[in-house]
Amino acid sequence: MQCEICHRSASSRLPFNCTLCARDALHQPRIQLAQTLLHTESLGKEVEQNVVGTSKKEKARSSAGAKPSDVNHTWTVHRAASNQFISEEKTQTVLSHVETLREETQKVKAEIAARKAKLLRRRSEFASAKHELSQSQASAVEPVDKSIKRTEHRWDVMHNKTAESRLFLCREVALLYGLHQRKRKKGGLGRDIYFIGGVPIADLRDLNSTHILHSSSQYTKAF
């Protein structure tokens, strides 16, 4: 309820804004306290009347020769009625508390169910987004893979053509420079020797020996 002075509503953070807010907050508890006191006072008067009436009746019956058991029975009935009333009030209070707890339990259950539904919805949305992301990644990567494969194929074709061109050029250059082979004599020692431009081609197996130098000098003198 909005205050007439500060024009603000009380909250858990700021329950009292001014004196009028505090007075309004205490108004209802004061009424309840007054009702409780009046009810207690009425019960006290009722008990007092019962006790006084019972005492008067007991005296009257005693003077008339009545038995004490009748007086005790009347007092027992009044006390049982009072206890029953108190028990009913306690029972009503307990039932109201039980109803309040039941309502709070239902609210908590409803809140938990709502949170579970929200969590399931978020999980479903996350799974859907993840699936869409994987599909988009696959669709984005596939053209790149195809382009890479095409480029690799082009490089392979170009490499083969380059190797064939180099082989052809080497063969033509060797023919231009007069590449020929001189075979060793049958039953003789030595190896076949290849010449290009009138110069013997060194055998890689003889690079660490002086035999190749001697052979080269001999063939040079011969030509």
PDB file of all heavy atoms in Angstrom, residues 104-120:
ATOM      1  N   GLU A 104       2.475 -23.617   0.089  1.00  0.00           N
ATOM      2  CA  GLU A 104       3.874 -23.313  -0.223  1.00  0.00           C
ATOM      3  C   GLU A 104       4.540 -24.474  -0.958  1.00  0.00           C
ATOM      4  O   GLU A 104       5.335 -24.265  -1.884  1.00  0.00           O
ATOM      5  CB  GLU A 104       4.632 -22.997   1.063  1.00  0.00           C
ATOM      6  CG  GLU A 104       4.210 -21.685   1.716  1.00  0.00           C
ATOM      7  CD  GLU A 104       4.975 -21.421   3.001  1.00  0.00           C
ATOM      8  OE1 GLU A 104       5.759 -22.314   3.402  1.00  0.00           O
ATOM      9  OE2 GLU A 104       4.787 -20.342   3.594  1.00  0.00           O
ATOM     10  N   THR A 105       4.204 -25.707  -0.537  1.00  0.00           N
ATOM     11  CA  THR A 105       4.771 -26.881  -1.221  1.00  0.00           C
ATOM     12  C   THR A 105       4.322 -26.946  -2.672  1.00  0.00           C
ATOM     13  O   THR A 105       5.114 -27.248  -3.576  1.00  0.00           O
ATOM     14  CB  THR A 105       4.351 -28.163  -0.486  1.00  0.00           C
ATOM     15  OG1 THR A 105       4.752 -28.078   0.887  1.00  0.00           O
ATOM     16  CG2 THR A 105       4.992 -29.382  -1.117  1.00  0.00           C
ATOM     17  N   GLN A 106       3.042 -26.643  -2.902  1.00  0.00           N
ATOM     18  CA  GLN A 106       2.541 -26.643  -4.275  1.00  0.00           C
ATOM     19  C   GLN A 106       3.238 -25.575  -5.116  1.00  0.00           C
ATOM     20  O   GLN A 106       3.586 -25.800  -6.286  1.00  0.00           O
ATOM     21  CB  GLN A 106       1.021 -26.410  -4.275  1.00  0.00           C
ATOM     22  CG  GLN A 106       0.211 -27.538  -3.661  1.00  0.00           C
ATOM     23  CD  GLN A 106       0.333 -28.833  -4.453  1.00  0.00           C
ATOM     24  OE1 GLN A 106       0.551 -28.826  -5.668  1.00  0.00           O
ATOM     25  NE2 GLN A 106       0.200 -29.953  -3.758  1.00  0.00           N
ATOM     26  N   LYS A 107       3.467 -24.401  -4.498  1.00  0.00           N
ATOM     27  CA  LYS A 107       4.162 -23.338  -5.227  1.00  0.00           C
ATOM     28  C   LYS A 107       5.589 -23.757  -5.572  1.00  0.00           C
ATOM     29  O   LYS A 107       6.071 -23.519  -6.684  1.00  0.00           O
ATOM     30  CB  LYS A 107       4.181 -22.058  -4.388  1.00  0.00           C
ATOM     31  CG  LYS A 107       2.822 -21.388  -4.257  1.00  0.00           C
ATOM     32  CD  LYS A 107       2.935 -20.113  -3.429  1.00  0.00           C
ATOM     33  CE  LYS A 107       1.580 -19.436  -3.285  1.00  0.00           C
ATOM     34  NZ  LYS A 107       1.658 -18.204  -2.454  1.00  0.00           N
ATOM     35  N   VAL A 108       6.270 -24.389  -4.590  1.00  0.00           N
ATOM     36  CA  VAL A 108       7.650 -24.830  -4.836  1.00  0.00           C
ATOM     37  C   VAL A 108       7.682 -25.896  -5.929  1.00  0.00           C
ATOM     38  O   VAL A 108       8.547 -25.883  -6.819  1.00  0.00           O
ATOM     39  CB  VAL A 108       8.275 -25.362  -3.534  1.00  0.00           C
ATOM     40  CG1 VAL A 108       9.621 -26.018  -3.812  1.00  0.00           C
ATOM     41  CG2 VAL A 108       8.464 -24.223  -2.538  1.00  0.00           C
ATOM     42  N   LYS A 109       6.718 -26.835  -5.881  1.00  0.00           N
ATOM     43  CA  LYS A 109       6.660 -27.869  -6.918  1.00  0.00           C
ATOM     44  C   LYS A 109       6.415 -27.257  -8.296  1.00  0.00           C
ATOM     45  O   LYS A 109       7.033 -27.665  -9.293  1.00  0.00           O
ATOM     46  CB  LYS A 109       5.560 -28.876  -6.585  1.00  0.00           C
ATOM     47  CG  LYS A 109       5.896 -29.799  -5.424  1.00  0.00           C
ATOM     48  CD  LYS A 109       4.781 -30.805  -5.194  1.00  0.00           C
ATOM     49  CE  LYS A 109       5.125 -31.765  -4.058  1.00  0.00           C
ATOM     50  NZ  LYS A 109       4.040 -32.748  -3.809  1.00  0.00           N
ATOM     51  N   ALA A 110       5.499 -26.283  -8.335  1.00  0.00           N
ATOM     52  CA  ALA A 110       5.223 -25.629  -9.622  1.00  0.00           C
ATOM     53  C   ALA A 110       6.458 -24.889 -10.130  1.00  0.00           C
ATOM     54  O   ALA A 110       6.779 -24.926 -11.330  1.00  0.00           O
ATOM     55  CB  ALA A 110       4.050 -24.661  -9.468  1.00  0.00           C
ATOM     56  N   GLU A 111       7.183 -24.236  -9.212  1.00  0.00           N
ATOM     57  CA  GLU A 111       8.402 -23.525  -9.613  1.00  0.00           C
ATOM     58  C   GLU A 111       9.465 -24.495 -10.116  1.00  0.00           C
ATOM     59  O   GLU A 111      10.139 -24.235 -11.122  1.00  0.00           O
ATOM     60  CB  GLU A 111       8.936 -22.720  -8.428  1.00  0.00           C
ATOM     61  CG  GLU A 111      10.132 -21.844  -8.771  1.00  0.00           C
ATOM     62  CD  GLU A 111      10.599 -21.016  -7.592  1.00  0.00           C
ATOM     63  OE1 GLU A 111       9.950 -21.102  -6.517  1.00  0.00           O
ATOM     64  OE2 GLU A 111      11.598 -20.293  -7.730  1.00  0.00           O
ATOM     65  N   ILE A 112       9.610 -25.635  -9.422  1.00  0.00           N
ATOM     66  CA  ILE A 112      10.592 -26.640  -9.856  1.00  0.00           C
ATOM     67  C   ILE A 112      10.222 -27.196 -11.229  1.00  0.00           C
ATOM     68  O   ILE A 112      11.080 -27.383 -12.104  1.00  0.00           O
ATOM     69  CB  ILE A 112      10.684 -27.768  -8.809  1.00  0.00           C
ATOM     70  CG1 ILE A 112      11.321 -27.238  -7.519  1.00  0.00           C
ATOM     71  CG2 ILE A 112      11.483 -28.945  -9.347  1.00  0.00           C
ATOM     72  CD1 ILE A 112      11.307 -28.229  -6.379  1.00  0.00           C
ATOM     73  N   ALA A 113       8.913 -27.463 -11.422  1.00  0.00           N
ATOM     74  CA  ALA A 113       8.472 -27.972 -12.729  1.00  0.00           C
ATOM     75  C   ALA A 113       8.740 -26.946 -13.828  1.00  0.00           C
ATOM     76  O   ALA A 113       9.170 -27.302 -14.939  1.00  0.00           O
ATOM     77  CB  ALA A 113       6.987 -28.312 -12.672  1.00  0.00           C
ATOM     78  N   ALA A 114       8.492 -25.660 -13.519  1.00  0.00           N
ATOM     79  CA  ALA A 114       8.753 -24.615 -14.520  1.00  0.00           C
ATOM     80  C   ALA A 114      10.239 -24.529 -14.845  1.00  0.00           C
ATOM     81  O   ALA A 114      10.633 -24.384 -16.009  1.00  0.00           O
ATOM     82  CB  ALA A 114       8.238 -23.271 -14.005  1.00  0.00           C
ATOM     83  N   ARG A 115      11.086 -24.645 -13.808  1.00  0.00           N
ATOM     84  CA  ARG A 115      12.532 -24.596 -14.052  1.00  0.00           C
ATOM     85  C   ARG A 115      12.997 -25.797 -14.864  1.00  0.00           C
ATOM     86  O   ARG A 115      13.851 -25.669 -15.751  1.00  0.00           O
ATOM     87  CB  ARG A 115      13.278 -24.543 -12.721  1.00  0.00           C
ATOM     88  CG  ARG A 115      13.134 -23.205 -11.991  1.00  0.00           C
ATOM     89  CD  ARG A 115      13.971 -23.172 -10.735  1.00  0.00           C
ATOM     90  NE  ARG A 115      13.874 -21.889 -10.055  1.00  0.00           N
ATOM     91  CZ  ARG A 115      14.517 -21.590  -8.928  1.00  0.00           C
ATOM     92  NH1 ARG A 115      15.301 -22.500  -8.356  1.00  0.00           N
ATOM     93  NH2 ARG A 115      14.384 -20.401  -8.373  1.00  0.00           N
ATOM     94  N   LYS A 116      12.436 -26.983 -14.563  1.00  0.00           N
ATOM     95  CA  LYS A 116      12.798 -28.169 -15.343  1.00  0.00           C
ATOM     96  C   LYS A 116      12.399 -28.007 -16.805  1.00  0.00           C
ATOM     97  O   LYS A 116      13.168 -28.348 -17.712  1.00  0.00           O
ATOM     98  CB  LYS A 116      12.128 -29.405 -14.739  1.00  0.00           C
ATOM     99  CG  LYS A 116      12.766 -29.896 -13.449  1.00  0.00           C
ATOM    100  CD  LYS A 116      12.106 -31.174 -12.974  1.00  0.00           C
ATOM    101  CE  LYS A 116      12.777 -31.707 -11.706  1.00  0.00           C
ATOM    102  NZ  LYS A 116      12.121 -32.954 -11.229  1.00  0.00           N
ATOM    103  N   ALA A 117      11.178 -27.494 -17.014  1.00  0.00           N
ATOM    104  CA  ALA A 117      10.731 -27.285 -18.397  1.00  0.00           C
ATOM    105  C   ALA A 117      11.623 -26.275 -19.114  1.00  0.00           C
ATOM    106  O   ALA A 117      11.986 -26.458 -20.287  1.00  0.00           O
ATOM    107  CB  ALA A 117       9.278 -26.808 -18.401  1.00  0.00           C
ATOM    108  N   LYS A 118      12.010 -25.221 -18.401  1.00  0.00           N
ATOM    109  CA  LYS A 118      12.894 -24.217 -18.995  1.00  0.00           C
ATOM    110  C   LYS A 118      14.256 -24.808 -19.317  1.00  0.00           C
ATOM    111  O   LYS A 118      14.841 -24.539 -20.378  1.00  0.00           O
ATOM    112  CB  LYS A 118      13.040 -23.041 -18.026  1.00  0.00           C
ATOM    113  CG  LYS A 118      13.802 -21.862 -18.593  1.00  0.00           C
ATOM    114  CD  LYS A 118      13.818 -20.717 -17.600  1.00  0.00           C
ATOM    115  CE  LYS A 118      14.565 -19.512 -18.165  1.00  0.00           C
ATOM    116  NZ  LYS A 118      14.586 -18.380 -17.195  1.00  0.00           N
ATOM    117  N   LEU A 119      14.765 -25.658 -18.396  1.00  0.00           N
ATOM    118  CA  LEU A 119      16.061 -26.301 -18.627  1.00  0.00           C
ATOM    119  C   LEU A 119      16.002 -27.248 -19.820  1.00  0.00           C
ATOM    120  O   LEU A 119      16.916 -27.276 -20.661  1.00  0.00           O
ATOM    121  CB  LEU A 119      16.483 -27.058 -17.366  1.00  0.00           C
ATOM    122  CG  LEU A 119      17.843 -27.772 -17.417  1.00  0.00           C
ATOM    123  CD1 LEU A 119      18.955 -26.768 -17.659  1.00  0.00           C
ATOM    124  CD2 LEU A 119      18.095 -28.523 -16.116  1.00  0.00           C
ATOM    125  N   LEU A 120      14.914 -28.031 -19.915  1.00  0.00           N
ATOM    126  CA  LEU A 120      14.761 -28.925 -21.064  1.00  0.00           C
ATOM    127  C   LEU A 120      14.663 -28.139 -22.368  1.00  0.00           C
ATOM    128  O   LEU A 120      15.233 -28.542 -23.393  1.00  0.00           O
ATOM    129  CB  LEU A 120      13.510 -29.790 -20.872  1.00  0.00           C
ATOM    130  CG  LEU A 120      13.581 -30.846 -19.758  1.00  0.00           C
ATOM    131  CD1 LEU A 120      12.237 -31.543 -19.604  1.00  0.00           C
ATOM    132  CD2 LEU A 120      14.675 -31.873 -20.055  1.00  0.00           C
TER     133      LEU A 120
END
